[in-house]
Amino acid sequence: MSSNLKFDATDRVMHEERVFSPSQDIIDNANITAYMKTKGFSDYSEFYKWSLANREEFWSDLASELHWFQPWKTVFEWTEKPFFKWFSEGKFNIVYNCLDRYIGTPIEEKVAYHWEGDDGSTRTLTYKELYQRVNQLSAALQKLGVQKGDRISIYMPAILEQIIAVLACARLGAPHSVVFGGFASSALRERIVDCEAKVLITADGNHRGGKLVELKKLADEALLDTPTIEKVIVAKHLGTEVNMQEGRDIYWEDACEGIGLDTVVPCEELDAEDMLYILYTSGSTGKPKGVVHIQGGYAVGTYATTKFVFDIKPDDVFWCTADVGWVTGHSYVIYGPLMNAATSIVFEGIPTYPAPDRWWQIIEKYKITILYTAPTAIRGLMRHGTDWPAKHDLSSLRLLGSVGEPINPEAWIWYHEQIGKNALPIMDTWWQTETGAQMITPTPILPLKPGSATRPFPTIEADIVDKDGNSVGHDKGGFLIVRYPWPSLMRTIYKDPARYETYWNTIEDVYFAGDAALKDDDGYFWIQGRVDDVIKVSGHRLGSMEIESSLVSHPAVAEVAAIGKPDELKGEHVKVFVILKNGFEASDALLHELKLHVRTNVGPVAVPDELEFVASLPKTRSGKIMRRVIRAKELGEPVGDLSTLDS
Ligand code: WT7
């Protein structure tokens, strides 16, 4: 068990005694009810118990609803523990399941995406149109020399070309690596270099909340030092003049020149275990981890959760507000909804621009039925009061969702009362970049308790354990673990399998990815937050070391410690403690300069809210900064074991 976990899980939890039970009508009509019936169950607890003993049957049932070029031979196998495979020897392509199988059926005329721009402009793509655009770009990529296995980085705003780009890569079996458009150039460069991308797909620029982002300029800075990039495709979104490097850069429309919309590039018939994408996320070292997801199992996991948790029906209009740059966007803006033939919304802007009712206006306009968002957004909108949502007709909504961080009961209740009009269930879904799909989550048939992610999804054997892996039972805090692999779990960390293994050996033989939690008497899980050096700011995941290494690259800085502090709006915010080099004086000007330094090096999400100049920091005898101790002191909590402290 590693010693750097920042606190031992406690029994502290906000128990909210209120229970919200679903109506009989919801229970009767839920997708999960229909499936449970086929297995002879009407009660979730009984069904869940069955699913633990019949994992392979459950997942094969769901996998059978997708199209396979060739069926799998083995449902699950450990290759070399903790490495494993699902659906071995199955031949598959996730894009076939998102698009091709609808062509020639009435679904091809259905809207796949309604897009709404920051400035109010709109665009719609039907399944057929999306299919055509994806094929066209796949052909263009092939013309540029892209082949199965080549990595493609995507650095784009929330426009439909971002989705087209993702699907065009997956169609060819060329793993995509989407980098959030809000990251700075050096973060983009680091990710391109790590995955050795051959092509970058980007855009000229975009607006968010009325502010201009010069994306191509940022990309150009990153590209100063990315030797593997051969071509850069630039989508014209703003239509502004941007630097185009001769021989390297090509506009999207020029890359597609001469490729008609009737062009078909057959889906590559891939192995179920072939790589679908790499998505970088923060861990406890300075270097982001390239989480690897694969074609088959990931598809089955995102398909199944979208179907059962969001309970997608043919007439639903689904809005997951996440950016495609994060895993939530991969799984629930793109893959899960498309495999369920849903109509989705993509919004380029922010909730409060031009006014704090922008979201409510969008819900009314598109008659959205399912809204999936983050607690931080709810808390932000709460601040503007109840008049804004009250101005709009939100009666189309039937289901709400939450993700990214624990939702505090106050925010849950506001969401339930003001947006859900006291009637709609809220799916509080706990999962991670690594898990690929939702793990601890209600389905619409479960009674809800505000602040609890409720119970594990079928087959997910989650538990609360102590450091040695022993179950702690009910109402005691501990580490949240899962005992057995599921189809959508990451397969490895790109080029760093040892780092993947740490998920399975920090606590022996179980999957542990850093959260503390507690299970109540009803078996409901209450997530308490990260216990490692991951900081969750507005639901975004940052590593202490990433912020620290960015700051030590500034000439004035000798040493830094970054910690997360509880924040009413953001969940957590970053505080850094800085030791200056000899000859540098603490000043307000330097403080601002250092914050700006983080902004331009990592990105706006990582900028510390608090920065304190200090003379020393607590360290172990081997020289490691003890963030756990700093955090405890800062929050006035017990500092715990100090036996390794140097001074
Ligand atoms: C971490 C994973 C899940 C996709 C987006 C974030 C926290 C996530 C919840 C929730 C409490 C949550 C955990 C987890 N988290 N959802 N419903 N309740 N905490 O993915 O960036 O990989 O972060 O987010 O701490 O470990 P991520």
Side-chain angles (χ1 to χ4, degrees):
M1 180 82 209
S2 89
S3 59
N4 59 13
L5 298 182
K6 72 185 168 212
F7 62 90
D8 276 346
T10 63
D11 304 340
R12 274 178 304 169
V13 77
M14 301 247 239
H15 265 285
E16 171 64 54
E17 291 311 323
R18 279 208 263 178
V19 175
F20 294 83
S21 293
S23 70
Q24 197 55 44
D25 185 49
I26 289 179
I27 297 174
D28 289 346
N29 293 303
N31 288 336
I32 184 103
T33 306
Y35 179 76
M36 280 164 49
K37 247 192 213 159
T38 67
K39 300 290 157 186
F41 296 100
S42 58
D43 173 73
Y44 185 79
S45 298
E46 292 300 315
F47 167 65
Y48 173 69
K49 244 186 263 162
W50 169 86
S51 78
L52 293 185
N54 297 276
R55 296 185 173 90
E56 298 190 3
E57 186 176 328
F58 176 83
W59 289 112
S60 313
D61 284 349
L62 273 301
S64 303
E65 295 179 14
L66 298 176
H67 175 271
W68 296 77
F69 301 114
Q70 179 186 302
W72 60 88
K73 294 221 169 90
T74 315
V75 183
F76 171 81
E77 63 187 314
W78 287 107
T79 42
E80 198 174 329
K81 245 179 163 177
F83 297 91
F84 60 89
K85 287 180 175 178
W86 284 85
F87 310 112
S88 286
E89 291 176 63
K91 291 275 177 235
F92 187 82
N93 192 307
I94 194 167
V95 180
Y96 192 98
N97 285 285
C98 289
L99 300 173
D100 299 48
R101 64 173 174 156
Y102 307 134
I103 301 306
T105 78
I107 295 171
E108 69 176 25
E109 297 305 329
K110 191 174 170 177
V111 172
Y113 293 104
H114 288 292
W115 177 82
E116 166 119 356
D118 193 58
D119 64 359
S121 51
T122 60
R123 185 181 172 194
T124 288
L125 282 180
T126 62
Y127 271 89
K128 176 80 175 281
E129 289 164 338
L130 181 61
Y131 170 80
Q132 291 174 331
R133 300 276 161 192
V134 168
N135 273 286
Q136 186 186 46
L137 188 66
S138 289
L141 288 168
Q142 278 182 331
K143 261 176 59 181
L144 295 175
V146 171
Q147 293 177 354
K148 175 182 164 184
D150 290 338
R151 277 85 55 218
I152 314 284
S153 293
I154 299 174
Y155 182 58
M156 298 187 91
I159 57 177
L160 294 178
E161 279 69 19
Q162 186 186 32
I163 294 173
I164 295 167
V166 161
L167 295 167
C169 294
R171 186 170 189 86
L172 299 175
H176 50 80
S177 167
V178 181
V179 179
F180 174 52
F183 275 137
S185 338
S186 47
L188 172 62
R189 180 189 316 126
E190 190 176 13
R191 287 158 176 77
I192 291 176
V193 167
D194 189 76
C195 76
E196 299 166 282
K198 188 166 171 177
V199 172
L200 171 69
I201 307 178
T202 185
D204 47 7
N206 64 298
H207 285 108
R208 269 192 96 235
K211 283 193 209 133
L212 174 69
V213 182
E214 292 178 281
L215 208 63
K216 179 60 166 61
K217 224 179 180 172
L218 295 170
D220 280 340
E221 278 168 41
L223 291 164
L224 291 174
D225 206 5
T226 53
T228 58
I229 293 285
E230 293 170 13
K231 292 284 174 203
V232 178
I233 298 178
V234 184
K236 280 186 190 169
H237 176 49
L238 295 179
T240 48
E241 194 76 28
V242 294
N243 166 56
M244 295 293 282
Q245 187 177 306
E246 185 75 44
R248 183 194 70 185
D249 301 353
I250 180 166
Y251 279 114
W252 181 300
E253 59 198 42
D254 296 334
C256 293
E257 175 83 52
I259 305 171
L261 282 175
D262 53 355
T263 306
V264 174
V265 177
C267 279
E268 193 75 34
E269 299 194 8
L270 300 163
D271 191 277
E273 289 286 326
D274 277 344
M275 199 193 305
L276 171 61
Y277 68 79
I278 303 167
L279 180 58
Y280 288 88
T281 190
S282 300
S284 39
T285 75
K287 194 171 178 279
K289 312 190 248 200
V291 168
V292 170
H293 284 292
I294 51 81
Q295 285 267 342
Y298 173 82
V300 179
T302 50
Y303 167 73
T305 47
T306 304
K307 175 170 175 167
F308 290 149
V309 176
F310 297 126
D311 197 37
I312 294 278
K313 307 276 171 52
D315 292 334
D316 275 319
V317 181
F318 179 64
W319 188 18
C320 165
T321 64
D323 191 281
V324 166
W326 311 105
V327 73
T328 310
H330 284 62
S331 297
Y332 300 108
V333 174
I334 303 185
Y335 292 117
L338 292 178
M339 281 185 284
N340 280 278
T343 294
S344 287
I345 304 296
V346 173
F347 173 47
E348 185 187 18
I350 61 169
T352 48
Y353 179 82
D357 62 345
R358 185 71 192 272
W359 274 18
W360 317 131
Q361 195 187 14
I362 291 175
I363 290 171
E364 181 172 14
K365 176 171 172 186
Y366 295 97
K367 299 196 167 43
I368 290 169
T369 59
I370 305 171
L371 173 67
Y372 187 36
T373 190
T376 189
I378 299 298
R379 289 192 297 262
L381 290 165
M382 258 169 94
R383 289 198 165 180
H384 295 280
T386 55
D387 289 352
W388 294 103
K391 284 208 303 198
H392 295 276
D393 177 6
L394 306 180
S395 62
S396 56
L397 288 169
R398 72 172 185 90
L399 196 74
L400 304 174
S402 172
V403 63
E405 49 175 325
I407 179 164
N408 47 310
E410 299 72 26
W412 197 103
I413 298 288
W414 191 86
Y415 195 21
H416 184 71
E417 286 178 357
Q418 302 304 323
I419 311 307
K421 311 296 176 199
N422 289 309
L424 307 188
I426 300 175
M427 303 298 106
D428 176 4
T429 63
W430 177 88
W431 58 293
Q432 308 175 303
T433 305
E434 294 89 337
T435 71
Q438 296 152 344
M439 299 289 288
I440 297 180
T441 173
T443 58
I445 63 169
L446 279 190
L448 303 171
K449 303 186 190 186
S452 167
T454 75
R455 306 187 48 183
F457 192 76
T459 80
I460 304 301
E461 198 170 339
D463 197 6
I464 311 294
V465 302
D466 64 17
K467 294 187 209 290
D468 304 315
N470 304 309
S471 287
V472 298
H474 288 183
D475 272 333
K476 276 203 69 67
F479 301 109
L480 174 58
I481 60 99
V482 183
R483 291 199 192 283
Y484 197 83
W486 56 99
S488 67
L489 176 60
M490 67 172 161
R491 293 308 191 261
T492 191
I493 298 297
Y494 193 62
K495 292 197 299 199
D496 199 352
R499 220 167 160 190
Y500 164 78
E501 290 182 81
T502 62
Y503 288 86
W504 290 92
N505 62 24
T506 303
I507 300 175
E508 217 176 299
D509 250 0
V510 295
Y511 173 84
F512 170 60
D515 281 288
L518 172 146
K519 192 163 62 165
D520 70 18
D521 288 338
D522 297 325
Y524 275 50
F525 286 73
W526 300 77
I527 316 292
Q528 296 177 323
R530 303 286 306 198
V531 292
D532 54 5
D533 291 320
V534 166
I535 306 172
K536 278 258 141 174
V537 178
S538 302
H540 300 318
R541 185 163 157 182
L542 301 168
S544 302
M545 286 271 278
E546 272 173 286
I547 300 162
E548 291 164 6
S549 24
S550 145
L551 277 167
V552 290
S553 73
H554 186 280
V557 175
E559 285 184 87
V560 193
I563 62 163
K565 280 180 73 174
D567 182 295
E568 253 185 45
L569 185 65
K570 300 177 176 179
E572 278 189 297
H573 70 247
V574 177
K575 172 159 189 181
V576 294
F577 298 84
V578 176
I579 303 180
L580 292 175
K581 281 189 188 150
N582 282 339
F584 288 91
E585 287 283 327
S587 68
D588 272 356
L590 184 56
L591 186 144
H592 289 301
E593 190 180 317
L594 293 179
K595 286 189 180 182
L596 187 68
H597 186 77
V598 178
R599 172 180 290 269
T600 47
N601 270 277
V602 190
V605 282
V607 176
D609 279 14
E610 292 184 74
L611 192 151
E612 189 178 328
F613 295 107
V614 293
S616 69
L617 290 165
K619 285 191 197 151
T620 61
R621 272 171 226 122
S622 57
K624 262 175 75 178
I625 292 173
M626 294 182 81
R627 297 189 197 92
R628 174 177 68 78
V629 173
I630 300 171
R631 190 171 184 276
K633 280 204 75 171
E634 182 72 18
L635 303 184
E637 289 174 354
V639 289
D641 180 12
L642 290 180
S643 57
T644 56
L645 187 68
D646 182 41
S647 56

